[in-house]
Every structure is written in C-alpha cells, then in structure tokens.
C-alpha cells in the first residue's frame, strides 16, 4: 500500500459508529449522551480502551479532554490533531461530533494497518462538553485550551439541577492531571456533518469550511409581579410571560433584519412559579444568536437590547440579558483549508467552500492552532434531532479526506 492509494475501511468506520451509538441510544434511533453523565463515562471508557488497544498513548487534561497520540518519526515536531466530541444533545443524532472522533480513530487504525510512519505525531482529541446542552456554554474545554475561557469559571458552571461541572467531572472519574493547553499542535482538523442543507442541495460530497459564524449565548430573565389570575384586571398586570412572548417574537424579527444569515433561538423557557392560577412573576430563558459578520452580530445585539428595554418599560417588567458566551466570527487557516481542498480534489470528490453556522471546537482552537474543518452532507440538513442521518459513503469520503489532509500536514 502506498500513501497515494491508502483509504480507510468504511465498514469498520460504520460499525464503530453504530456500536457506540448504543451508548445512550434512544428508541427513536438517536443518542442522549449529555456531557459528564453516566453515558458519557461509558463512551469515554470505550474510547480509552479502544485507543489503547490501537497502541496509542492516552492523556487526559484537567477539563477531561482526552488525547490519544500515535508517535511520529520526528518527536520534536508538534502533533497534528484531529478531533471533535462524543457528547450529544438530549435528543441528538448519531453523527454530530461522533463522526469526527470515530473517523479520526479510523484514520489511525488505517495508518497502523498499513504500517505507515508519519514525520509528526498525530493526536486524536475527544473534547469535553462541546454541546453546552447540560453545562452552558458549549465548547468550554476547547475554550479553556485556547485561553479564551477561564478554567476556574468553567469548573463552577452549573447544570439545571445545580450540579457543578467540576463535581460532575470527578463523579465520572475523568478529571485529568494535565494542565489544559499545555499540549500544542502543529494543526487541527475536525471532520463534521454539515448540519445544514447546502451540500445535499448542491449534490456536493465535501465542504471545505473556511469560516464560522460568530455566536452569543445569554441567560435571560423577565421580572414582573406575581398576582391572582382571577382578580387582577388585565390592565394592571405585570405579567412576565406575556412580556417574554413579545420579546421572543422581537428576537425572531431582529435576526432577519440582518440578512438571511442572522439567526436567533430561545431553547429553554421556564415560567415561575408555574401555577395555573398565578400570573407568572418571573420567566427564565436562554437566548442564542449568531451571524457570520461581526458588525451584523453587533447590530443584532443592539436590536435585542433595544427590544428588551422597550418591551420592559411598556409592560413595567425588567428584562435582563446576561451574556455568558461571545465568540466573534472566525476564518479558518488558509494553508490547512488548502490541504483539505487538495485532498478532496486528489480523491476526485466534489467539493465547495462553506461557512459553518454551528459552533465547533475547531472554532476555538483556530485562535491558537492553524485549524480547518471538513463537512459532509447530512440528510435534509437536519441535526440536533434524533432523525439526523448521514450515509456510509459520505462518512467514508469525509474520513478519507481527513486521512489525506493529516498525511499532507504530518508528512
Ligand atoms: C453546537 O452544537 C452549537 O453550534 O451550538
Ligand atoms: Mn458538533
Ligand atoms: Mn451539536
């Protein structure tokens, strides 16, 4: 086998995807594997055992991120990293994140099988808590790695039951000893499903991801006044839920005012005291908004703040927006993007450049490591859904592009 015709084993990759999908597998065919839960522990144990069986050296950092390294001929060279995440949304699919990690494993198994030595070492990474569904924000481990998130702050983040991130990490036994960010990489490549409709619509197999939207996450609160549902006239109420409803619709208006790439989402809402005959005095909710253009993202911020203050004063409630995450749009590294594009072309795969609407660990590593991403299509562009689906052929194509890209970079 020479380097030019080396390909991954698509049956083995698919079998691994299906095997691990059973850890947290849902009746509807998705995965519920929230970060730092028992299911996450089980998939991490599987990962640790599997990479050791593949002869790789495993390290774990203080954020629980797992690094499996295959040595290179030249130990003085910084490793080339491949990676993504094994945690999922509560109603996640089988591919978001998982594909990037398991395709990386498949790449290393392929190099082992062919007895190929690279110049630089290669490191496969399973980043902790990419999703942010249990502990907000997401991408927090790669954020600490990149020096953009404070580690002590990350450790104190709480889930909805008040469990601290650091305690959950200890509970599953994955708080490592390695200082976060100590390992430096020569490059980082993340393979992921597109999570949008473009590649499928255009009949393209590979997306060369050149940029990613900026994203802002906020924990929000409307403070009104509780009172009796029967005896409080409509015109004297300070109903937190009705003010929330108006604000929610305003956020839906602000996004498209900034072009079709602006998006805003309210994913979690809680009205208190949650009694049918008490007017809600408080609403807690999350807000996620994104745009690929930094100035447009700023305009969205202003539009949202203006809506909050106008609705707040008209309805005599207080709308508070606490921004806990603010990642401006980024561009990926030109040279690593070129390596991805060249690899797709060498394999004769149709490809185009594309911008990521989703957040990824690669978006964070990009500020400290030359980074790029590879996208493959997913059915109907649907992700963060148990019905998320990608074909075996497209997964294999993405893994082959990953293999080649890594060979180009590692030498
Ligand atoms: C990660 O899934 C994100 O884009 O929020
Ligand atoms: Mn993902
Ligand atoms: Mn996701």
């Amino acid at each position: 086998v020479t380097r030019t015709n080396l390909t991954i084993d698509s049956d083995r990759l698919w079998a691994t995807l299906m095997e691990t999908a059973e850890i947290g597998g849902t009746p509807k065919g998705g995965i519920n594997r929230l970060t730092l839960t028992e299911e996450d522990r089980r998939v991490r144990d599987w990962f640790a055992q599997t990479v050791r069986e593949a002869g790789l050296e495993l390290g774990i950092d203080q954020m629980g991120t797992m690094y499996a390294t295959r040595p290179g001929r030249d130990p003085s060279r910084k490793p080339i990293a491949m990676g993504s995440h094994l945690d999922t949304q509560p109603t996640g699919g089988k591919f978001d994140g998982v594909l990037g990690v398991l395709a990386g494993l498949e790449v290393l198994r392929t190099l082992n099988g062919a007895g190929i030595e690279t110049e630089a070492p290669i490191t496969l990474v399973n980043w902790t808590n990419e999703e942010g569904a249990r502990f907000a924000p997401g991408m927090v481990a790669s954020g600490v790695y990149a020096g953009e998130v404070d580690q002590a702050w990350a450790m104190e983040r709480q889930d909805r039951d008040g469990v601290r991130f650091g305690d959950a990490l200890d509970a599953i036994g994955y708080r490592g000893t390695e200082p976060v960010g100590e390992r430096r990489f020569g490059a980082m490549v993340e393979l992921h499903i597109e999570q949008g409709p473009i590649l499928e619509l255009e009949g393209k197999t590979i997306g060369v991801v050149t940029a990613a939207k900026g994203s802002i996450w906020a924990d929000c609160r409307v403070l009104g006044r509780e009172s009796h549902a029967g005896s409080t006239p409509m015109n004297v109420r300070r109903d937190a839920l009705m003010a929330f409803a108006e604000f929610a619709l305003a956020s839906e208006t602000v996004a498209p005012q900034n072009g079709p790439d602006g998006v805003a989402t309210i994913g979690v809402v809680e009205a208190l005291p949650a009694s049918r005959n008490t007017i809600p005095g408080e609403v807690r909710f999350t807000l996620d908004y994104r745009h690929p253009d930094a100035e447009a993202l700023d305009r969205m911020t202003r539009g949202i703040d203006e809506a909050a203050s106008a609705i707040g004063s008209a309805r005599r409630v207080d709308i508070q927006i606490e921004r806990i995450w603010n990642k401006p749009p980024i561009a990926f590294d030109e040279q690593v993007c070129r390596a991805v594009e060249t690899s797709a072309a060498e394999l004769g795969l149709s490809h185009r450049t594309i911008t990521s609407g989703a957040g990824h660990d690669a978006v964070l590593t990009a500020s400290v490591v030359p980074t790029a991403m590879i996208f493959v299509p997913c059915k109907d562009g649907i992700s963060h859904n148990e019905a998320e689906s990608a074909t075996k052929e497209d997964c294999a194509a993405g893994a082959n592009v990953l293999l080649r890209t890594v060979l180009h970079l590692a030498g």
Side-chain angles (χ1 to χ4, degrees), residues 3 70-76 116-121 411:
R3 182 192 284 191
R70 185 175 190 268
R73 239 194 309 253
D74 181 355
S76 73
I116 287 180
E117 268 194 301
T118 53
E119 289 298 325

Side-chain angles (χ1 to χ4, degrees), residues 245-255 257 303-304 307-308 311:
E246 198 175 333
F247 176 82
L249 292 174
S251 75
E252 195 193 29
T253 311
V254 166
Q257 275 166 356
I304 283 162
I311 295 163

